Amino acid sequence: MITFLILIALFLIAFWGFMQQPKFGKAPSGDRLKLILNSPQYKNGKFENQNYTPDLAEGVSYFSMFYEFFFKKVERKTPTDLIPSVKTNLLALSLDQDVLVWFGHSSYFIQLAGKRFLIDPVFSGNASPIPGTTKSFKGTDIYTVDDLPEIDYLLITHDHYDHLDYETILKLKPKTKKVITALGIGSHFEFWGFPAENIIEKDWFNKVALDQNLTLYTAPSRHFSGRSFKRCNTLWTSFILETNDFKMYLGGDSGYDSHYKEIYEKYGPFDIALIDNGQYDEKWKYIHNMPEDVINAMKDLKPKRVLPVHSSKFVLALHPWDEPLKRITELNQNLENPFPLVTPMIGELVELRNENQQFKKWWEGIL
């Protein structure tokens, strides 16, 4: 019994030490906490979605969910082939080019109106605080921070590890002019050494004037947050990026809800929309879109083009790795008026103002 208690004590000490690592960030306090407490989204001691959002679907337990995730066999959950890619030289891009480059999952680079944006970058090869547990697919890590030019605005939709990667963020520090994110997340950045004056935190439905021809808005998504055991002590958001003649919806992670229609009515119309499509499951359908939900979101947002994201880099759900792109393509083709889908390979240059640009079904034939 004494030996057992000693082992338990050692485990608890080791676990406590592990949780003190800076990668877990820092809970909001001081002025940042005051902003949170005054937010209409902060209720009952945590941030809440616009409508009731259970963590799991009715009848699903955490035990059954975790058991399936670790023990259920799923064919082709991870690709055995190399994910194809194109290595665009981002350092050589002219600033007058309005372009987007996707890095897999929900990480991407945008040049618009002479400014450079980086959204939810994860270049460490892992989407988990535990090393080696959620590794990126072979071929998806062709970019590093060294391949990036100076970033005018680093946008972070929420603080989950597959969107806010500590290792990547530290390397980006000398290249990043401003960070724009949702309430509470600035606490992580300040803790990691970013100057407070370079961190902009916003609630939903806020406006950030970037220059005379460039405006950013924050808007709802249906999700949750947290880097440790306490959930929803920081806010999650989507963004709208707008010039005088071009508008983008940058969705972040979200389940389907009425916010898509509300966002269109308040901020639309959109030239292109990036929508969460991947790493989904009926068990947590309220916080990640199922493919059918993506179609409904597209109908609500009415964009000229749609770029499905949140796929093709990490295993976070129990579906074949290429199912998100296959399903959204099939469902879209069955619409009376299909939306033009933007499906680039990792690194492929997307011309934001070229509505006629064509993309291959690059995932076909990849095992």
Side-chain angles (χ1 to χ4, degrees):
M1 178 61 75
I2 292 175
T3 302
F4 176 73
L5 292 174
I6 291 172
L7 290 174
I8 291 293
L10 290 173
F11 170 79
L12 292 174
I13 291 169
F15 182 73
W16 179 87
F18 177 76
M19 293 301 296
Q20 304 314 302
Q21 295 180 85
K23 70 174 74 175
F24 293 101
K26 189 175 182 180
S29 61
D31 290 340
R32 298 191 189 283
L33 183 57
K34 288 178 184 177
L35 288 173
I36 287 172
L37 295 175
N38 289 325
S39 169
Q41 280 56 253
Y42 195 78
K43 306 165 187 174
N44 306 310
K46 63 179 182 178
F47 283 108
E48 295 185 357
N49 287 293
Q50 289 179 306
N51 295 312
Y52 173 64
T53 303
D55 296 337
L56 299 174
E58 187 177 352
V60 178
S61 69
Y62 278 103
F63 176 81
S64 64
M65 182 187 71
F66 285 118
Y67 183 85
E68 280 199 2
F69 187 81
F70 288 109
F71 298 107
K72 183 178 180 180
K73 183 174 174 58
V74 177
E75 295 293 331
R76 303 180 64 254
K77 187 170 64 172
T78 302
T80 55
D81 290 345
L82 218 64
I83 296 293
S85 62
V86 175
K87 187 75 178 280
T88 297
N89 186 349
L90 304 179
L91 299 172
L93 288 176
S94 171
L95 261 181
D96 61 4
Q97 291 179 269
D98 292 339
V99 295
L100 180 150
V101 173
W102 178 60
F103 302 121
H105 200 62
S106 290
S107 303
Y108 48 97
F109 169 86
I110 293 172
Q111 273 192 185
L112 186 64
K115 300 293 183 182
R116 297 185 177 104
F117 299 82
L118 184 63
I119 295 84
D120 291 357
V122 179
F123 297 135
S124 69
N126 189 36
S128 163
I130 303 172
T133 55
T134 310
K135 293 191 286 189
S136 52
F137 298 157
K138 292 183 294 184
T140 61
D141 288 321
I142 62 167
Y143 282 93
T144 69
V145 171
D146 290 339
D147 296 314
L148 300 175
E150 190 174 60
I151 302 300
D152 293 295
Y153 299 101
L154 173 62
L155 308 184
I156 302 294
T157 61
H158 63 296
D159 66 1
H160 285 157
Y161 294 93
D162 58 324
H163 294 257
L164 179 56
D165 179 50
Y166 172 70
E167 198 173 306
T168 301
I169 294 301
L170 285 192
K171 292 178 180 176
L172 277 168
K173 197 188 306 183
K175 286 192 172 186
T176 302
K177 293 181 181 178
K178 294 283 185 182
V179 177
I180 306 177
T181 188
L183 290 180
I185 299 174
S187 181
H188 301 317
F189 280 90
E190 198 167 353
F191 179 56
W192 295 334
F194 283 72
E197 62 271 20
N198 293 344
I199 303 167
I200 301 170
E201 282 186 322
K202 291 294 179 181
D203 204 339
W204 292 342
F205 303 115
N206 281 183
K207 174 182 177 181
V208 184
L210 305 179
D211 65 23
Q212 290 183 335
N213 185 35
L214 199 56
T215 305
L216 186 77
Y217 299 92
T218 51
S221 62
R222 193 185 194 191
H223 202 52
F224 69 107
S225 67
R227 292 181 75 80
S228 186
F229 295 106
K230 186 171 183 179
R231 294 174 61 152
C232 302
N233 66 331
T234 59
L235 187 60
W236 47 99
T237 193
S238 58
F239 295 105
I240 293 91
L241 185 57
E242 177 185 38
T243 72
N244 292 339
D245 62 352
F246 192 83
K247 198 176 295 186
M248 306 179 68
Y249 170 73
L250 314 179
D253 283 4
S254 184
Y256 182 74
D257 204 355
S258 57
H259 65 283
Y260 287 116
K261 187 170 290 186
E262 181 183 11
I263 287 168
Y264 171 77
E265 290 169 352
K266 189 173 181 65
Y267 300 109
F270 299 106
D271 294 281
I272 187 169
L274 282 76
I275 304 177
D276 172 28
N277 171 58
Q279 313 316 311
Y280 48 73
D281 195 304
E282 281 285 353
K283 296 178 182 63
W284 59 80
K285 61 182 179 179
Y286 299 108
I287 55 174
H288 276 297
N289 291 319
M290 300 295 292
E292 293 79 7
D293 295 327
V294 179
I295 294 295
N296 289 328
M298 289 157 62
K299 291 177 180 178
D300 289 348
L301 290 165
K302 301 178 177 63
K304 293 180 183 177
R305 295 195 292 169
V306 176
L307 200 168
V309 294
H310 209 255
S311 73
S312 308
K313 190 164 185 174
F314 302 110
V315 173
L316 300 173
L318 297 178
H319 56 63
W321 75 269
D322 54 355
E323 183 183 283
L325 289 169
K326 283 184 175 180
R327 289 286 294 132
I328 194 62
T329 301
E330 292 166 0
L331 290 168
N332 184 58
Q333 287 173 343
N334 290 332
L335 294 176
E336 185 176 348
N337 296 301
F339 291 85
L341 291 184
V342 177
T343 54
M345 287 187 286
I346 288 175
E348 186 176 359
L349 200 67
V350 177
E351 300 166 13
L352 289 176
R353 296 179 183 271
N354 182 4
E355 295 177 20
N356 298 315
Q357 187 180 7
Q358 299 295 309
F359 298 92
K360 297 178 181 178
K361 297 178 182 177
W362 60 262
W363 55 92
E364 292 186 341
I366 307 298
L367 300 178

